[in-house]
């Protein structure tokens, strides 16, 4: 509920929303996904260096092209990711009676290199599983919901951000579905109507990484984090067991 972790590629939900709102890319655009990309001397690789060439934005999202989303983020204003994150609840502070919560933080980037790293969740961005579940809930609901724990007890929020435009959210939802039907979340393809985004987030000296899967099924939003998993696969497997038990 309050831990701060790099969100890795799950943050591409925010980057996609920011880029679409800024007009930096269209939902049906063709985008480059090279095996690696260098910005200000900083080399950004895809996982195992895969190279897709030029592909639809939905494919770059589904296959989790770091290079695509780093390039998109690098071209945005310094606070674009900050604003897009807050629209989806990440960075909003809640007084939630009964539990201490922290959603996370996406501070404005100081330079292009930092902005590129933030674009695929490996810069200064941090998030809690609670925060990323709120991101998923905001995408499916169409605006940030106010979380509650105790019935009849009010939750206070320090911000009430405007929602992203409906067309942007429609595009993000479609991309999150493609993750499961044809992308990195295909281990869940047999479970109906799952939308999501995988993430493998490097920590420390980059020899260890956390595994994430963030998404929703119907009106149920969730975030799964497996610390030190070194892959998103364990998070996908935990999510499969979870969804199978609650539906």
């Amino acid at each position: 509920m309050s831990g701060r972790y790099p969100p890795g590629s799950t943050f591409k939900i925010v980057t996609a929303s920011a880029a679409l709102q800024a007009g930096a890319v269209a939902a049906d655009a063709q985008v480059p996904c090279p095996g690696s990309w260098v910005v200000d001397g900083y080399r950004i690789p895809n996982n195992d260096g895969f190279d897709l060439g030029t592909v639809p934005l939905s494919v770059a999202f589904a296959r989790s092209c770091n290079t695509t989303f780093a390039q998109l983020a690098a071209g945005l204003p310094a606070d674009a990711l900050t604003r897009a994150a807050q629209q989806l609840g990440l960075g909003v502070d809640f007084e939630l009676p009964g539990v201490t919560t922290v959603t996370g933080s996406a501070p404005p980037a100081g330079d292009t290199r930092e902005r590129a790293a933030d674009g695929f969740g490996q810069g200064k961005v941090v998030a809690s599983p609670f925060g990323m579940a709120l991101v998923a809930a905001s995408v499916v609901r169409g605006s940030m919901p106010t979380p509650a724990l105790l019935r009849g007890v009010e939750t206070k929020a320090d911000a009430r951000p405007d929602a992203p435009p409906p067309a942007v959210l429609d595009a993000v939802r479609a991309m999150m579905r493609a993750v499961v039907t044809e992308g990195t979340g295909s281990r869940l393809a047999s479970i109906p109507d799952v939308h999501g985004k995988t993430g493998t987030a490097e920590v420390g000296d980059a020899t260890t990484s956390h595994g994430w899967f963030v998404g929703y099924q119907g009106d149920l939003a969730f975030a799964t984090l497996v610390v030190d998993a070194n892959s998103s696969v364990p998070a996908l497997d935990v999510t499969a067991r979870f969804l199978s038990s609650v539906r």
Side-chain angles (χ1 to χ4, degrees), residues 14 28 85 94 96 129 148 157 187 197:
V14 172
D28 59 354
F94 297 99
L96 182 56
R187 293 173 77 90
K197 183 69 192 78

Side-chain angles (χ1 to χ4, degrees), residues 42-132:
Y42 173 50
R43 179 179 176 272
I44 295 170
N46 287 331
N47 186 37
D48 294 329
F50 72 83
D51 186 334
L52 300 184
T54 299
V55 295
L57 178 64
S58 61
V59 173
F61 187 92
R63 296 283 298 278
S64 207
C65 293
N66 294 337
T67 53
T68 302
F69 286 87
Q71 290 179 66
L72 288 174
L76 296 175
D79 65 344
L81 295 179
T82 307
R83 289 184 282 108
Q86 189 171 61
Q87 287 178 323
L88 301 177
L90 193 64
V92 177
D93 185 42
F94 297 99
E95 291 184 22
L96 182 56
V99 65
T100 299
T101 63
V102 175
T103 58
S105 174
D111 54 37
T112 304
R113 173 175 169 168
E114 182 181 311
R115 195 155 56 249
D118 287 344
F120 62 107
Q122 288 291 172
K124 292 186 177 179
V125 176
V126 291
S128 68
F130 168 73
M132 291 310 299

